[in-house]
Amino acid sequence: MDTAFKDVPPTTLADLLGREQVMDIGIRPLWDAPRIAGPAYTVRCLPGDNLMLHAAIHRADPGSVIVVESGDLDYALAGGNVCAVARRRGVAGFVLDGLVRDLGEVREAGFPVFARVSSPFPAPRTRAARSVSRPGSAGC
């Protein structure tokens, strides 16, 4: 896993990279999660649909940070079960431009999740293909 940036303060990265390459301030750790670093595996999900997140969990290399562009503030993209599967598959953590559920369970498991807020509502059972491992704009 590439961890060269793990110990670089976010403020230093912001100074060097510029605003367009720094995550929106609304996306933050929802518990005292450890810092994560690794190659980003990007995902776009349609509002209310987390199918591509499930695909990414099975396609991302171990040590990857899955970064999800959704913008959906009605339904959670992931919860305890999704995070547990991701962890077992070696995913370093999630950065979600959206919501997460089962926060206590995720916190207890120690799986790093950065998201907008927590919500008890799961994604509906609709499934629509979008894209994985393509340039995205989560939190921009």
Side-chain angles (χ1 to χ4, degrees):
M1 173 173 64
D2 180 8
T3 59
F5 291 101
K6 192 168 188 172
D7 295 323
V8 178
T11 52
T12 300
L13 290 173
D15 290 345
L16 296 171
L17 297 174
R19 191 165 197 81
E20 66 280 350
Q21 292 182 304
V22 176
M23 192 63 59
D24 182 286
I25 61 169
I27 298 173
R28 57 188 177 77
L30 297 181
W31 60 280
D32 194 19
R35 289 186 63 179
I36 54 175
Y41 193 92
T42 59
V43 182
R44 288 184 184 172
C45 291
L46 294 173
D49 191 352
N50 65 358
L51 176 63
M52 292 296 98
L53 174 57
H54 288 271
I57 290 168
H58 292 278
R59 293 179 181 178
D61 291 331
S64 294
V65 176
I66 296 181
V67 180
V68 182
E69 176 186 349
S70 163
D72 185 359
L73 297 179
D74 291 322
Y75 301 102
L77 287 163
N81 292 337
V82 172
C83 292
V85 171
R87 184 179 183 140
R88 280 195 303 273
R89 297 197 55 84
V91 172
F94 288 159
V95 177
L96 308 174
D97 186 2
L99 313 179
V100 67
R101 60 183 267 149
D102 307 325
L103 193 55
E105 188 177 334
V106 174
R107 181 184 317 123
E108 186 175 308
F111 187 74
V113 175
F114 297 74
R116 292 201 176 270
V117 294
S118 178
S119 170
F121 301 109
R125 296 292 177 219
T126 60
R127 299 287 190 217
R130 187 68 174 188
S131 67
V132 294
S133 194
R134 301 276 188 255
S137 60
C140 294

